[in-house]
Amino acid sequence: MSTSNRGRLIRQTLTIARRDFTATVFTPLFLLFLLSPMIMIAFGVVGGLGGATLARGSGDKVQIIALASPDQAPALLAADKRLRAIFRRSDAPPPLKLETPGADPQAQARAAFEGRDIDVSAVLYGPLDHPQILYGAAGVRASDYLATLADTVLRDQKLGDKPLSVATKTSIVRTKASRSGRNQSAFLAVTGIFFLTLFLSGQAVGTMAEERSNKVIEILAAAVPLESVFLGKLLGMFGVAVLFVTFWGTLLSQVGRFLPGGGAGLAELAPAVGMPVFVLLFCGYFTMAYMLLGAVFLSVGAQAQTMREIQMLSLPITIVQMAMFGLASAAAADPGSSIATIAEVFPLSSPFAMAAHAANKPEVWPHLLALAWQALWVAITIWIGAGAFRRGVLKSGSGRKGLMARFARR
C-alpha cells in the first residue's frame, strides 16, 4: 500500500470516528449516560442508609443483662466501659443492662428472654467467681463477653483497676507494598478493567445495527473499506469511553481527600511496577480490552437485524467475558502459575491478566509484548468482523452464496 493510500485510509477512519463520537456525545441522552453511575450510587447510598438504619434500630433493641447486687454494679460498669474500648462499633457486644437479682435469679434470668420490647442475647447471674450464663441462638459471643467481664471484675478487685503497664503506640506506614497489598492491587486492576469494559463496550453493539437498518452503512461501505468503517466506529466509541472514564476518574481521584488520614491506607495497594507505570499500563490494557470486546460487539451488531437478535447474541459474549474475569482473577491470586500463563496468553483474558501481572511482578518488558499481542488480535477481530459483514450482509464477498452461483452458471 502506498503512502498516499495509507494516509487516505487513516483520514477516512478518523472521519468516521469523529462522526460517531459527535453523534453520540452531542445528544441529551449522553448526559444521562454520563450521570448514570451517579444515579446508581444514589440508589446504593439510599439502600445502604436504609439497611444501616434498620440494622442500627434492631441492634439498639438487643441487650445483655447482668443480675448483680448494687455493690457490684459500679465495678461491672467500669470493667464494661474499659473492655468496650477495644471493640469497633460494629463488633461491640450489645449494651449491658444491670438488674438487681430477685428471690429466684435463675427464673428471673430465663424470664428475661421472654421480653417483647427488648431482645436479650445473654444473661449472667450468680456469684462472679462461678457465674451462670444463659444465652440464646445468636448469643454465643455475648456469653463469652459476659464471662470475660466477670473475670475482669474479680481481677480488678484483687489487683486494682489501674493498668499494670503503660504502652507506647507508634503508627507505621509501609514504604513498600506487601504481598497481600500487591494481590489487592491485582484484583482491583482486574475488576476495574472488567467492569469498565463491560459497562462501556456494550454501546458498540447497536451502532452498526442502527446504521444497517437506515441503509447508511451501504453508503459508507461504497466509499470506504469496511475495515476502516469498523475501526473508525470502534475509535469513535472508544473516545466516548475515554470521556466517560476521564470524567469519573477526576471525581474519584478527589475521594482520597475525604478519607481518614487523606487516604494514607491506600499506600498498601502500591503495585510492583510502581504507581506511575501501573497507571500507564492500566490505561493501555483498558484500551486493548475495550477495543477487543468492542470489536466483538461491533461484529455481532453488524450481523443482527433486530434488537432481539442483538440481545440474544450479546448474552453469550457477556457470559464468556464473565468466564474471562474468573480466569484472570485466578491468575491474579496465583502469579507465575500455569493458569496465570494461560490467562496472560489467551486474547480475551490477556488484558485483565496482564494488568494483574503488573501489580504482582516488577518486570516491564513482558507488557510490551502483551500489548503488541493484544493489538494483533484487535486487528484480527476487526478483519473477521468486516469480512463476515461483507459476505453475510452486503453479499459482496466470496461467501457460500457466491460459490453456489458460480457453480450454477457452469
Side-chain angles (χ1 to χ4, degrees):
M1 181 183 295
S2 63
T3 304
S4 60
N5 290 336
R6 186 181 299 109
R8 184 182 63 193
L9 287 177
I10 293 175
R11 289 194 300 271
Q12 291 171 340
T13 301
L14 294 179
T15 299
I16 294 175
R18 184 172 64 252
R19 170 183 172 272
D20 280 50
F21 178 81
T22 54
T24 303
V25 172
F26 296 104
T27 59
L29 288 178
F30 178 73
L31 182 62
L32 182 63
F33 170 74
L34 189 64
L35 298 179
S36 57
M38 187 175 296
I39 299 174
M40 292 187 290
I41 292 173
F43 278 113
V45 169
V46 171
L49 290 176
T53 303
L54 182 62
R56 185 167 56 250
S58 61
D60 292 341
K61 296 180 180 180
V62 179
Q63 292 181 346
I64 55 177
I65 297 177
L67 303 181
S69 58
D71 60 326
Q72 291 178 328
L76 282 168
L77 291 176
D80 178 67
K81 182 179 179 180
R82 192 165 67 252
L83 289 176
R84 287 180 184 274
I86 65 176
F87 290 99
R88 293 179 296 183
R89 181 176 180 180
S90 59
D91 297 332
L96 175 65
K97 181 181 180 181
L98 298 180
E99 294 184 0
T100 303
D104 189 353
Q106 183 179 7
Q108 184 180 352
R110 290 183 178 276
F113 289 93
E114 305 299 328
R116 296 182 179 181
D117 297 333
I118 298 296
D119 292 332
V120 176
S121 59
V123 179
L124 178 147
Y125 68 95
L128 295 181
D129 54 347
H130 291 89
Q132 300 294 321
I133 300 176
L134 305 180
Y135 61 91
V140 176
R141 293 184 66 238
S143 66
D144 294 338
Y145 177 77
L146 285 176
T148 303
L149 180 64
D151 183 75
T152 302
V153 170
L154 292 180
R155 290 177 182 273
D156 291 345
Q157 291 176 352
K158 291 182 178 181
L159 303 177
D161 58 355
K162 294 183 179 180
L164 300 180
S165 65
V166 178
T168 301
K169 302 177 183 179
T170 305
S171 176
I172 297 296
V173 178
R174 297 179 63 96
T175 58
K176 294 183 179 180
S178 61
R179 178 180 176 85
S180 62
R182 292 196 300 268
N183 287 341
Q184 292 175 14
S185 300
F187 279 114
L188 285 177
V190 172
T191 305
I193 294 178
F194 170 74
F195 279 107
L196 284 175
T197 53
L198 194 64
F199 181 72
L200 296 173
S201 62
Q203 61 182 329
V205 72
T207 57
M208 188 67 79
E210 179 182 354
E211 296 197 344
R212 177 183 170 182
S213 63
N214 56 26
K215 307 301 182 181
V216 174
I217 189 63
E218 297 180 1
I219 300 175
L220 293 176
V224 181
L226 271 178
E227 289 77 9
S228 294
V229 174
F230 273 63
L231 181 58
K233 287 183 170 297
L234 196 57
L235 291 176
M237 292 298 99
F238 179 68
V240 175
V242 169
L243 182 61
F244 180 92
V245 173
T246 302
F247 175 78
W248 281 103
T250 303
L251 292 181
L252 294 178
S253 64
Q254 307 303 315
V255 172
R257 297 183 179 182
F258 302 98
L259 295 177
L266 297 178
E268 291 288 334
L269 301 178
V273 295
M275 186 56 70
V277 177
F278 181 74
V279 171
L280 292 176
L281 290 176
F282 182 90
C283 294
Y285 288 128
F286 164 68
T287 301
M288 291 296 106
Y290 181 92
M291 297 291 281
L292 185 57
L293 187 60
V296 174
F297 273 124
L298 201 62
S299 302
V300 168
Q303 298 297 320
Q305 296 182 355
T306 63
M307 287 302 300
R308 183 174 182 178
E309 290 184 1
I310 290 176
Q311 293 173 355
M312 293 180 65
L313 292 172
S314 299
L315 180 60
I317 299 176
T318 304
I319 293 175
V320 171
Q321 197 68 5
M322 291 290 294
M324 296 301 101
F325 172 70
L327 180 62
S329 298
D334 193 10
S337 62
S338 57
I339 192 171
T341 303
I342 293 173
E344 291 167 2
V345 172
F346 191 69
L348 292 176
S349 61
S350 181
F352 312 111
M354 289 305 298
H357 184 97
N360 286 319
K361 302 289 184 179
E363 298 84 8
V364 177
W365 66 266
H367 301 287
L368 303 178
L369 297 178
L371 290 172
W373 171 251
Q374 294 158 19
L376 174 64
W377 276 98
V378 171
I380 292 174
T381 305
I382 293 175
W383 177 72
I384 293 175
F389 184 78
R390 184 182 292 113
R391 291 189 299 270
V393 179
L394 299 181
K395 310 297 183 182
S396 60
S398 57
R400 182 178 179 183
K401 185 175 179 180
L403 289 175
M404 295 298 292
R406 287 197 298 270
F407 180 76
R409 285 195 297 270
R410 292 181 182 179

